[in-house]
Amino acid sequence: MKSRAPLCQALEDLIYKDAPRLAQEQGLIVRHRCFSASTLLLLLVFGWLKHPLAGPSQLARFAHSVGVRVSKQAIFERLTKNTAHWLLSVLQQAVHTLLLTSSLSVGLLARFPAVLLEDTTCIELPSALAWLWKGSGGNASPSAVKLGVRWDLRSGRLDGPALHQGRDHDSRTSTHTLPCGQGSVWVADAAYYSLKQLRQMDQQGVVFVIRPRGNLAVSTPEGQRLDLASHLSALTDTVIDLSVRLGSIRSLWLNARIIALPVSDEVAQKRREHLLDKANKQGHVPSSHALALARWTLIVTNAPVERLSAEEALLLFRARWQVELLFKLWKSHGHVDEWSSQLPDHILCEFYAKLIAMLVEHWVLLESCWDDPHRNWMLCADLFRDQLSLLVLGIRGYIPLSQALACIREALLGSASIPARSTRPSTSHQLLDGVYWGLT
């Protein structure tokens, strides 16, 4: 069960209540000569947020910012398996905190209670950690962690990151089992395509917008089996919108729409090459049907046309790229997939602490700039890092935390907004106008 809290309360509870409680339960800190649990958390999370590639020496120099003077050796000795286990517990506690937020009230997103983007990313770890986090095998690393998230593009609420074995399928992540809420829109890529899941969503009043898999079985509304590739080839519309029944079993048919957008010959050829390469690695041959369908971008939705036009469905699926940008932020800005040590326990501590840092950063950005529909999330994160000392001072009580957050908000407000463009409008401007520029 998630708790709802304003940002000040969420930060203070995590650092001064949850972290010490978990440390005591796990017997992490017996003596407080150098570190309390709260101080250790501040040092590791904000130290790596400020300096993502810092080693013990740089963390020791940062330590005065959180009120302690320690040697690099003292920090080195704290990066243990027990500390890693504690940091993972703190991360899981943070994930179960839901901030009070306000949703965008304009544009296409405002028509739905929530617009949920779901996806995963995989972080490879050293093979020495395969006992804890198992990879998918083959040419991939024997150790990997899969991070699952569900991000509401309307309110900014983030469910996750949920950590799972790297070998687990995307649809087995805990975020995937969360209810969507009646009337919400759920947007996902082909990895999540499951007729059983889509039927359940349809029965619950959830609108899905998803890319189907290549082995798509389709019938006409009258029940006649449809050769989709041949049928699409006979049509000349810029955007094709078909009412169909999904599935091969008559009793389990699902009424839906297939929206098809033709792509260039170059894009189609790259898709076919990708299909062939993937099939070769898996030891099989892609079907001629899947290769033929590479000529179109296909989207499946259960929304009636009066509720969601074909253009709007394409626009919502395009918005799915925002969750990819979130993962890019975590990796290029937070460096969650890089570490300064070769020691497995140190790597785990750094990995978990950086994930906590990215979650705290998300909370602050949500509070500071989410009401700007055109915010540049990457630039906002850079500006926040410049103001990080203010947040630390607020958390430590040197200035009121609410005042520190207000100063951060003022620094970010209007400084990272994507300007309007007459050509190639940003996704945020397209969502506001409800016009998909990919058709021009």
PDB file of all heavy atoms in Angstrom, residues 123-150:
ATOM      1  N   ILE A 123      20.260  -3.319 -16.723  1.00  0.00           N
ATOM      2  CA  ILE A 123      21.585  -2.874 -16.320  1.00  0.00           C
ATOM      3  C   ILE A 123      22.469  -4.099 -16.117  1.00  0.00           C
ATOM      4  O   ILE A 123      22.164  -4.959 -15.287  1.00  0.00           O
ATOM      5  CB  ILE A 123      21.541  -2.059 -15.013  1.00  0.00           C
ATOM      6  CG1 ILE A 123      20.532  -0.909 -15.118  1.00  0.00           C
ATOM      7  CG2 ILE A 123      22.933  -1.543 -14.659  1.00  0.00           C
ATOM      8  CD1 ILE A 123      20.901   0.177 -16.087  1.00  0.00           C
ATOM      9  N   GLU A 124      23.529  -4.198 -16.891  1.00  0.00           N
ATOM     10  CA  GLU A 124      24.453  -5.322 -16.741  1.00  0.00           C
ATOM     11  C   GLU A 124      25.392  -5.084 -15.565  1.00  0.00           C
ATOM     12  O   GLU A 124      25.902  -3.974 -15.373  1.00  0.00           O
ATOM     13  CB  GLU A 124      25.256  -5.529 -18.027  1.00  0.00           C
ATOM     14  CG  GLU A 124      24.413  -6.015 -19.195  1.00  0.00           C
ATOM     15  CD  GLU A 124      25.253  -6.456 -20.375  1.00  0.00           C
ATOM     16  OE1 GLU A 124      26.492  -6.269 -20.312  1.00  0.00           O
ATOM     17  OE2 GLU A 124      24.678  -6.983 -21.341  1.00  0.00           O
ATOM     18  N   LEU A 125      25.610  -6.116 -14.786  1.00  0.00           N
ATOM     19  CA  LEU A 125      26.492  -6.071 -13.628  1.00  0.00           C
ATOM     20  C   LEU A 125      27.663  -7.028 -13.842  1.00  0.00           C
ATOM     21  O   LEU A 125      27.600  -7.901 -14.719  1.00  0.00           O
ATOM     22  CB  LEU A 125      25.716  -6.465 -12.367  1.00  0.00           C
ATOM     23  CG  LEU A 125      24.549  -5.560 -11.963  1.00  0.00           C
ATOM     24  CD1 LEU A 125      23.792  -6.155 -10.790  1.00  0.00           C
ATOM     25  CD2 LEU A 125      25.033  -4.152 -11.612  1.00  0.00           C
ATOM     26  N   PRO A 126      28.720  -6.900 -13.046  1.00  0.00           N
ATOM     27  CA  PRO A 126      29.836  -7.847 -13.177  1.00  0.00           C
ATOM     28  C   PRO A 126      29.377  -9.283 -12.924  1.00  0.00           C
ATOM     29  O   PRO A 126      28.471  -9.531 -12.125  1.00  0.00           O
ATOM     30  CB  PRO A 126      30.813  -7.374 -12.094  1.00  0.00           C
ATOM     31  CG  PRO A 126      30.481  -5.945 -11.869  1.00  0.00           C
ATOM     32  CD  PRO A 126      29.004  -5.831 -12.078  1.00  0.00           C
ATOM     33  N   SER A 127      30.037 -10.228 -13.580  1.00  0.00           N
ATOM     34  CA  SER A 127      29.642 -11.634 -13.473  1.00  0.00           C
ATOM     35  C   SER A 127      29.741 -12.158 -12.044  1.00  0.00           C
ATOM     36  O   SER A 127      29.060 -13.127 -11.693  1.00  0.00           O
ATOM     37  CB  SER A 127      30.505 -12.486 -14.407  1.00  0.00           C
ATOM     38  OG  SER A 127      31.890 -12.315 -14.110  1.00  0.00           O
ATOM     39  N   ALA A 128      30.541 -11.506 -11.202  1.00  0.00           N
ATOM     40  CA  ALA A 128      30.676 -11.942  -9.808  1.00  0.00           C
ATOM     41  C   ALA A 128      29.383 -11.769  -9.024  1.00  0.00           C
ATOM     42  O   ALA A 128      29.226 -12.345  -7.943  1.00  0.00           O
ATOM     43  CB  ALA A 128      31.798 -11.152  -9.120  1.00  0.00           C
ATOM     44  N   LEU A 129      28.439 -11.007  -9.570  1.00  0.00           N
ATOM     45  CA  LEU A 129      27.159 -10.783  -8.888  1.00  0.00           C
ATOM     46  C   LEU A 129      26.042 -11.659  -9.442  1.00  0.00           C
ATOM     47  O   LEU A 129      24.872 -11.453  -9.110  1.00  0.00           O
ATOM     48  CB  LEU A 129      26.767  -9.299  -8.992  1.00  0.00           C
ATOM     49  CG  LEU A 129      27.651  -8.335  -8.190  1.00  0.00           C
ATOM     50  CD1 LEU A 129      27.338  -6.880  -8.550  1.00  0.00           C
ATOM     51  CD2 LEU A 129      27.462  -8.564  -6.694  1.00  0.00           C
ATOM     52  N   ALA A 130      26.384 -12.635 -10.272  1.00  0.00           N
ATOM     53  CA  ALA A 130      25.360 -13.506 -10.861  1.00  0.00           C
ATOM     54  C   ALA A 130      24.633 -14.332  -9.805  1.00  0.00           C
ATOM     55  O   ALA A 130      23.506 -14.780 -10.033  1.00  0.00           O
ATOM     56  CB  ALA A 130      25.994 -14.418 -11.906  1.00  0.00           C
ATOM     57  N   TRP A 131      25.252 -14.523  -8.638  1.00  0.00           N
ATOM     58  CA  TRP A 131      24.588 -15.270  -7.565  1.00  0.00           C
ATOM     59  C   TRP A 131      23.375 -14.511  -7.036  1.00  0.00           C
ATOM     60  O   TRP A 131      22.438 -15.112  -6.518  1.00  0.00           O
ATOM     61  CB  TRP A 131      25.568 -15.520  -6.416  1.00  0.00           C
ATOM     62  CG  TRP A 131      26.003 -14.262  -5.717  1.00  0.00           C
ATOM     63  CD1 TRP A 131      27.051 -13.458  -6.067  1.00  0.00           C
ATOM     64  CD2 TRP A 131      25.389 -13.657  -4.586  1.00  0.00           C
ATOM     65  NE1 TRP A 131      27.141 -12.379  -5.223  1.00  0.00           N
ATOM     66  CE2 TRP A 131      26.126 -12.480  -4.291  1.00  0.00           C
ATOM     67  CE3 TRP A 131      24.294 -13.972  -3.785  1.00  0.00           C
ATOM     68  CZ2 TRP A 131      25.809 -11.626  -3.239  1.00  0.00           C
ATOM     69  CZ3 TRP A 131      23.973 -13.125  -2.738  1.00  0.00           C
ATOM     70  CH2 TRP A 131      24.720 -11.967  -2.469  1.00  0.00           C
ATOM     71  N   LEU A 132      23.388 -13.178  -7.203  1.00  0.00           N
ATOM     72  CA  LEU A 132      22.314 -12.344  -6.683  1.00  0.00           C
ATOM     73  C   LEU A 132      21.364 -11.890  -7.784  1.00  0.00           C
ATOM     74  O   LEU A 132      20.143 -11.986  -7.635  1.00  0.00           O
ATOM     75  CB  LEU A 132      22.914 -11.121  -5.980  1.00  0.00           C
ATOM     76  CG  LEU A 132      21.926 -10.125  -5.376  1.00  0.00           C
ATOM     77  CD1 LEU A 132      21.092 -10.786  -4.273  1.00  0.00           C
ATOM     78  CD2 LEU A 132      22.675  -8.918  -4.818  1.00  0.00           C
ATOM     79  N   TRP A 133      21.929 -11.391  -8.892  1.00  0.00           N
ATOM     80  CA  TRP A 133      21.137 -10.892 -10.017  1.00  0.00           C
ATOM     81  C   TRP A 133      21.553 -11.658 -11.267  1.00  0.00           C
ATOM     82  O   TRP A 133      22.656 -11.483 -11.767  1.00  0.00           O
ATOM     83  CB  TRP A 133      21.359  -9.390 -10.212  1.00  0.00           C
ATOM     84  CG  TRP A 133      20.890  -8.551  -9.061  1.00  0.00           C
ATOM     85  CD1 TRP A 133      21.665  -7.874  -8.168  1.00  0.00           C
ATOM     86  CD2 TRP A 133      19.535  -8.303  -8.682  1.00  0.00           C
ATOM     87  NE1 TRP A 133      20.883  -7.213  -7.253  1.00  0.00           N
ATOM     88  CE2 TRP A 133      19.555  -7.457  -7.547  1.00  0.00           C
ATOM     89  CE3 TRP A 133      18.294  -8.710  -9.183  1.00  0.00           C
ATOM     90  CZ2 TRP A 133      18.408  -7.016  -6.903  1.00  0.00           C
ATOM     91  CZ3 TRP A 133      17.138  -8.271  -8.555  1.00  0.00           C
ATOM     92  CH2 TRP A 133      17.205  -7.436  -7.436  1.00  0.00           C
ATOM     93  N   LYS A 134      20.654 -12.489 -11.751  1.00  0.00           N
ATOM     94  CA  LYS A 134      20.956 -13.372 -12.883  1.00  0.00           C
ATOM     95  C   LYS A 134      20.603 -12.694 -14.196  1.00  0.00           C
ATOM     96  O   LYS A 134      19.510 -12.158 -14.359  1.00  0.00           O
ATOM     97  CB  LYS A 134      20.200 -14.696 -12.747  1.00  0.00           C
ATOM     98  CG  LYS A 134      20.608 -15.516 -11.533  1.00  0.00           C
ATOM     99  CD  LYS A 134      19.792 -16.789 -11.438  1.00  0.00           C
ATOM    100  CE  LYS A 134      20.279 -17.653 -10.277  1.00  0.00           C
ATOM    101  NZ  LYS A 134      20.194 -16.949  -8.976  1.00  0.00           N
ATOM    102  N   GLY A 135      21.542 -12.747 -15.141  1.00  0.00           N
ATOM    103  CA  GLY A 135      21.299 -12.210 -16.474  1.00  0.00           C
ATOM    104  C   GLY A 135      20.576 -13.214 -17.351  1.00  0.00           C
ATOM    105  O   GLY A 135      20.186 -14.297 -16.910  1.00  0.00           O
ATOM    106  N   SER A 136      20.437 -12.849 -18.620  1.00  0.00           N
ATOM    107  CA  SER A 136      19.666 -13.690 -19.537  1.00  0.00           C
ATOM    108  C   SER A 136      20.510 -14.768 -20.189  1.00  0.00           C
ATOM    109  O   SER A 136      19.986 -15.616 -20.908  1.00  0.00           O
ATOM    110  CB  SER A 136      19.021 -12.821 -20.624  1.00  0.00           C
ATOM    111  OG  SER A 136      20.008 -12.057 -21.293  1.00  0.00           O
ATOM    112  N   GLY A 137      21.819 -14.742 -19.963  1.00  0.00           N
ATOM    113  CA  GLY A 137      22.673 -15.766 -20.562  1.00  0.00           C
ATOM    114  C   GLY A 137      23.012 -15.443 -22.000  1.00  0.00           C
ATOM    115  O   GLY A 137      22.828 -14.323 -22.478  1.00  0.00           O
ATOM    116  N   GLY A 138      23.494 -16.419 -22.729  1.00  0.00           N
ATOM    117  CA  GLY A 138      23.892 -16.200 -24.122  1.00  0.00           C
ATOM    118  C   GLY A 138      25.087 -15.257 -24.201  1.00  0.00           C
ATOM    119  O   GLY A 138      26.055 -15.379 -23.451  1.00  0.00           O
ATOM    120  N   ASN A 139      24.987 -14.279 -25.121  1.00  0.00           N
ATOM    121  CA  ASN A 139      26.061 -13.314 -25.286  1.00  0.00           C
ATOM    122  C   ASN A 139      25.983 -12.195 -24.255  1.00  0.00           C
ATOM    123  O   ASN A 139      26.898 -11.369 -24.170  1.00  0.00           O
ATOM    124  CB  ASN A 139      26.015 -12.706 -26.695  1.00  0.00           C
ATOM    125  CG  ASN A 139      26.294 -13.740 -27.768  1.00  0.00           C
ATOM    126  OD1 ASN A 139      27.079 -14.653 -27.554  1.00  0.00           O
ATOM    127  ND2 ASN A 139      25.653 -13.603 -28.913  1.00  0.00           N
ATOM    128  N   ALA A 140      24.886 -12.127 -23.517  1.00  0.00           N
ATOM    129  CA  ALA A 140      24.714 -11.078 -22.528  1.00  0.00           C
ATOM    130  C   ALA A 140      25.496 -11.417 -21.269  1.00  0.00           C
ATOM    131  O   ALA A 140      25.987 -12.532 -21.083  1.00  0.00           O
ATOM    132  CB  ALA A 140      23.232 -10.898 -22.198  1.00  0.00           C
ATOM    133  N   SER A 141      25.608 -10.420 -20.380  1.00  0.00           N
ATOM    134  CA  SER A 141      26.310 -10.631 -19.125  1.00  0.00           C
ATOM    135  C   SER A 141      25.564 -11.668 -18.281  1.00  0.00           C
ATOM    136  O   SER A 141      24.330 -11.697 -18.267  1.00  0.00           O
ATOM    137  CB  SER A 141      26.399  -9.305 -18.356  1.00  0.00           C
ATOM    138  OG  SER A 141      26.885  -9.509 -17.051  1.00  0.00           O
ATOM    139  N   PRO A 142      26.285 -12.524 -17.557  1.00  0.00           N
ATOM    140  CA  PRO A 142      25.606 -13.499 -16.692  1.00  0.00           C
ATOM    141  C   PRO A 142      24.912 -12.845 -15.501  1.00  0.00           C
ATOM    142  O   PRO A 142      24.133 -13.496 -14.812  1.00  0.00           O
ATOM    143  CB  PRO A 142      26.741 -14.413 -16.237  1.00  0.00           C
ATOM    144  CG  PRO A 142      27.987 -13.615 -16.414  1.00  0.00           C
ATOM    145  CD  PRO A 142      27.738 -12.717 -17.582  1.00  0.00           C
ATOM    146  N   SER A 143      25.184 -11.560 -15.278  1.00  0.00           N
ATOM    147  CA  SER A 143      24.533 -10.844 -14.178  1.00  0.00           C
ATOM    148  C   SER A 143      23.916  -9.555 -14.715  1.00  0.00           C
ATOM    149  O   SER A 143      24.581  -8.782 -15.412  1.00  0.00           O
ATOM    150  CB  SER A 143      25.535 -10.531 -13.072  1.00  0.00           C
ATOM    151  OG  SER A 143      24.918  -9.804 -12.026  1.00  0.00           O
ATOM    152  N   ALA A 144      22.649  -9.339 -14.393  1.00  0.00           N
ATOM    153  CA  ALA A 144      21.959  -8.126 -14.845  1.00  0.00           C
ATOM    154  C   ALA A 144      20.732  -7.886 -13.979  1.00  0.00           C
ATOM    155  O   ALA A 144      20.157  -8.824 -13.415  1.00  0.00           O
ATOM    156  CB  ALA A 144      21.557  -8.245 -16.316  1.00  0.00           C
ATOM    157  N   VAL A 145      20.348  -6.628 -13.888  1.00  0.00           N
ATOM    158  CA  VAL A 145      19.138  -6.222 -13.171  1.00  0.00           C
ATOM    159  C   VAL A 145      18.183  -5.572 -14.165  1.00  0.00           C
ATOM    160  O   VAL A 145      18.595  -4.719 -14.959  1.00  0.00           O
ATOM    161  CB  VAL A 145      19.455  -5.219 -12.040  1.00  0.00           C
ATOM    162  CG1 VAL A 145      18.173  -4.781 -11.333  1.00  0.00           C
ATOM    163  CG2 VAL A 145      20.423  -5.816 -11.042  1.00  0.00           C
ATOM    164  N   LYS A 146      16.937  -5.973 -14.127  1.00  0.00           N
ATOM    165  CA  LYS A 146      15.909  -5.342 -14.960  1.00  0.00           C
ATOM    166  C   LYS A 146      15.133  -4.359 -14.102  1.00  0.00           C
ATOM    167  O   LYS A 146      14.637  -4.701 -13.027  1.00  0.00           O
ATOM    168  CB  LYS A 146      14.967  -6.405 -15.549  1.00  0.00           C
ATOM    169  CG  LYS A 146      13.899  -5.844 -16.462  1.00  0.00           C
ATOM    170  CD  LYS A 146      13.309  -6.914 -17.358  1.00  0.00           C
ATOM    171  CE  LYS A 146      14.273  -7.305 -18.447  1.00  0.00           C
ATOM    172  NZ  LYS A 146      13.681  -8.240 -19.427  1.00  0.00           N
ATOM    173  N   LEU A 147      15.052  -3.113 -14.560  1.00  0.00           N
ATOM    174  CA  LEU A 147      14.324  -2.061 -13.859  1.00  0.00           C
ATOM    175  C   LEU A 147      12.992  -1.830 -14.565  1.00  0.00           C
ATOM    176  O   LEU A 147      12.970  -1.472 -15.751  1.00  0.00           O
ATOM    177  CB  LEU A 147      15.127  -0.754 -13.843  1.00  0.00           C
ATOM    178  CG  LEU A 147      16.563  -0.811 -13.307  1.00  0.00           C
ATOM    179  CD1 LEU A 147      17.206   0.571 -13.398  1.00  0.00           C
ATOM    180  CD2 LEU A 147      16.575  -1.311 -11.877  1.00  0.00           C
ATOM    181  N   GLY A 148      11.889  -2.067 -13.867  1.00  0.00           N
ATOM    182  CA  GLY A 148      10.566  -1.843 -14.435  1.00  0.00           C
ATOM    183  C   GLY A 148       9.954  -0.579 -13.867  1.00  0.00           C
ATOM    184  O   GLY A 148      10.036  -0.321 -12.661  1.00  0.00           O
ATOM    185  N   VAL A 149       9.362   0.232 -14.744  1.00  0.00           N
ATOM    186  CA  VAL A 149       8.701   1.459 -14.296  1.00  0.00           C
ATOM    187  C   VAL A 149       7.358   1.616 -14.997  1.00  0.00           C
ATOM    188  O   VAL A 149       7.140   1.097 -16.090  1.00  0.00           O
ATOM    189  CB  VAL A 149       9.554   2.726 -14.553  1.00  0.00           C
ATOM    190  CG1 VAL A 149      10.906   2.636 -13.879  1.00  0.00           C
ATOM    191  CG2 VAL A 149       9.725   2.981 -16.040  1.00  0.00           C
ATOM    192  N   ARG A 150       6.486   2.337 -14.338  1.00  0.00           N
ATOM    193  CA  ARG A 150       5.246   2.812 -14.961  1.00  0.00           C
ATOM    194  C   ARG A 150       5.135   4.289 -14.604  1.00  0.00           C
ATOM    195  O   ARG A 150       5.108   4.649 -13.432  1.00  0.00           O
ATOM    196  CB  ARG A 150       4.039   2.021 -14.463  1.00  0.00           C
ATOM    197  CG  ARG A 150       2.737   2.448 -15.139  1.00  0.00           C
ATOM    198  CD  ARG A 150       1.548   1.651 -14.621  1.00  0.00           C
ATOM    199  NE  ARG A 150       1.521   0.299 -15.161  1.00  0.00           N
ATOM    200  CZ  ARG A 150       0.590  -0.602 -14.842  1.00  0.00           C
ATOM    201  NH1 ARG A 150      -0.358  -0.289 -13.943  1.00  0.00           N
ATOM    202  NH2 ARG A 150       0.603  -1.813 -15.381  1.00  0.00           N
TER     203      ARG A 150
END
